[in-house]
Amino acid sequence: MDAAAGVGELSLPPVASCDGEALPAVRARRLARLYYYVGFFALPWFWVCSCWYFFPDFRHGHDPVVAKYTRRSALGFVVYTCLFLPWFLLYLIAGEKVLGQSAYNALDINSLDLSGTGLGVG
């Protein structure tokens, strides 16, 4: 990174968060990018937290980098929810009928034998 780029980053306006705290733009960009990438590791809750924390930029887009990552986080959460929620509801409502008895018992945590691991009763 050259000296001119560092000076430009220091002159960026601060980014507002949902609690009214003004974060330096470089830190806000780093945090929004981190939340976006961590959400891919089966932690989509980070996508929701990113959208909530940077809601002013998510809504109005004052900082283009933070807005880009928060909007992508929102899209990722919507896609994840659209894929996960039907599977979850299918398993919850009609799991044994759809999956069959053996597959349902293999996935059902209540039917697991945990006594050999020291976690079960007895």
Side-chain angles (χ1 to χ4, degrees):
M1 176 161 75
D2 58 286
V7 172
E9 289 178 356
L10 293 177
S11 65
L12 292 172
V15 176
S17 64
C18 66
D19 58 359
E21 179 184 351
L23 293 172
V26 176
R27 182 169 180 233
R29 288 176 175 187
R30 190 178 322 125
L31 192 59
R33 188 179 306 118
L34 176 71
Y35 279 10
Y36 174 69
Y37 288 122
V38 169
F40 281 106
F41 293 103
L43 299 169
W45 183 249
F46 276 93
W47 287 333
V48 173
C49 291
S50 176
C51 293
W52 170 72
Y53 191 68
F54 295 113
F55 188 74
D57 261 313
F58 174 73
R59 186 73 187 220
H60 302 292
H62 299 296
D63 187 314
V65 176
V66 173
K68 175 179 81 171
Y69 282 111
T70 54
R71 288 178 182 155
R72 286 181 180 181
S73 294
L75 179 65
F77 181 74
V78 167
V79 168
Y80 179 83
T81 302
C82 289
L83 293 175
F84 179 71
L85 192 62
W87 175 83
F88 175 73
L89 291 176
L90 178 74
Y91 180 79
L92 184 68
I93 295 170
E96 192 171 343
K97 296 173 192 158
V98 173
L99 297 173
Q101 183 68 31
S102 62
Y104 182 77
N105 285 340
L107 295 172
D108 188 19
I109 195 166
N110 293 324
S111 65
L112 290 177
D113 182 24
L114 299 175
S115 60
T117 63
L119 297 173
V121 179

